[in-house]
């Protein structure tokens, strides 16, 4: 597996079908711009994520990831997780 640490201004191209993940390894909130082609999977991120109403105080998860919810959403959008976190 290829791993790369991206910094401000970096661009990465991930072809379809290539396993990948995103993780902020810093101490401050990160920002990531994702462009999907063809369109459609943006709905996956909207359904999986938490709404942000205050950008200065983003929501924090209330507990560990709900694995069954994640599996249902990934299946709905035909996304095949390589590895989901264990509790």
């Amino acid at each position: 597996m290829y791993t790369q640490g991206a910094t401000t201004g970096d661009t990465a191209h991930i072809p379809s079908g290539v396993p990948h993940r995103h993780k902020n390894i810093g101490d401050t909130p990160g920002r990531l711009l994702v462009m999907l082609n063809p369109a459609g999977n943006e709905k996956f991120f909207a359904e999986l994520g938490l709404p942000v109403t205050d950008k200065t105080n983003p929501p924090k998860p209330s507990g560990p990831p709900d694995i069954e919810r994640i599996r249902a959403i990934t299946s709905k959008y035909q996304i095949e997780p390589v590895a989901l976190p264990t509790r």
Side-chain angles (χ1 to χ4, degrees):
M1 177 197 278
Y2 176 71
T3 305
Q4 176 181 344
T7 61
T8 301
D10 283 354
T11 302
H13 173 261
I14 304 168
S16 295
V18 174
H20 60 280
R21 68 180 182 176
H22 310 106
K23 181 178 181 181
N24 180 1
I25 59 172
D27 295 329
T28 58
R31 290 171 38 158
L32 173 68
L33 172 63
V34 177
M35 291 185 239
L36 305 169
N37 185 14
N41 276 349
E42 68 277 3
K43 295 173 186 172
F44 162 77
F45 293 102
E47 189 170 338
L48 186 66
L50 298 172
V52 175
T53 55
D54 179 359
K55 292 181 181 182
T56 62
N57 188 24
K60 294 178 176 50
S62 60
D66 180 345
I67 301 302
E68 292 308 313
R69 177 178 170 269
I70 294 170
R71 285 190 180 149
I73 295 170
T74 56
S75 177
K76 178 179 176 180
Y77 292 96
Q78 300 175 356
I79 294 172
E80 186 177 333
V82 175
L84 288 173
T86 59
R87 295 179 194 239

